[in-house]
């Protein structure tokens, strides 16, 4: 690293962080780690990659300061270093959503087909939950729900939705999952509407709710 030019030295280190983020599999790992600390084998199962590959990605992310690790018994668990990692991910996403024709094509071609309605804002949902006007469902797998969820939400994993419709009668349903483009909430809302339910999705997901300081369990 150059020390003659302090600005250049900083830019070199900024580039290290940017390079660590410049991989779709690492961005997916960030999404999963935003749900809570995870071991390498659990992450490998979530993203469908060999354990060795996931370990290599995590080591590169740790060198860049994106993740930290701690040992729990026989296992090493990884977590995001702090909320700034999610902020960096959100900034990348925002630039791509605004300026990438490819991103716009994917959004229009898949996401808008499943749900072209304006999502419910966090503030609106918090108010409606306080008034008892909505049923909030967390469509993530049960292990992720157990790590933390919106206060008052019930866990209805997407794979179980069809068999649990009787539990959801009576009020408007708001679904959420891992983040703004998590496909599970879009699929859940589309299925519920097909069955005649009034359903919308939350703007963002669990990490964004938590970063806003809203009630968690």
């Amino acid at each position: 690293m150059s020390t003659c030019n302090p600005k250049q030295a900083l830019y070199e280190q900024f580039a290290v962080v940017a390079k660590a983020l410049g991989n779709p599999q690492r961005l997916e790992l960030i999404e999963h780690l935003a749900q809570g600390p995870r071991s390498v084998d659990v992450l490998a199962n979530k993203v469908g990659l060999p354990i060795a590959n996931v370990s290599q990605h995590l080591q590169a992310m740790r060198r860049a300061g994106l993740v930290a690790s701690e040992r729990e018994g026989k296992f090493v668990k990884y977590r995001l270093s702090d909320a700034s990692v999610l902020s960096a991910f959100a900034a990348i996403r925002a630039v791509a959503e605004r300026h990438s024709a490819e991103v716009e094509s994917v959004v229009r071609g898949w996401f808008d087909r499943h749900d072209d309605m304006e999502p419910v804002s966090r503030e609106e949902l918090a108010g409606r939950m306080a008034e008892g006007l909505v049923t909030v469902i967390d469509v993530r797998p049960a292990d992720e729900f157990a790590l933390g969820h919106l206060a008052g939400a019930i866990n209805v994993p997407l794979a179980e939705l069809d068999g649990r419709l009787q539990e959801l009668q009576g009020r408007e349903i708001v679904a959420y999952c891992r983040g703004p483009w998590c496909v599970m909430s879009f699929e859940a809302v589309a299925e519920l509407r097909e069955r005649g339910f009034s359903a919308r999705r939350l703007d963002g997901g669990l990490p964004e709710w938590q970063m806003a300081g809203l009630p968690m369990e």
Side-chain angles (χ1 to χ4, degrees), residues 29-60:
L29 288 171
I30 288 173
E31 180 184 61
H32 283 286
L33 288 170
Q35 315 307 309
R38 290 299 198 181
S39 62
V40 177
D41 58 328
V42 170
L43 288 169
N45 182 62
K46 292 284 186 183
V47 300
L49 291 173
I51 290 176
N53 289 21
V54 172
S55 181
Q56 290 174 358
H57 284 308
L58 290 169
Q59 293 305 315

Side-chain angles (χ1 to χ4, degrees), residues 131-147:
E131 295 175 11
L133 299 176
V134 294
T135 297
V136 179
I137 62 172
D138 183 323
V139 297
R140 299 174 303 154
D143 64 320
E144 296 180 26
F145 182 82
L147 291 174

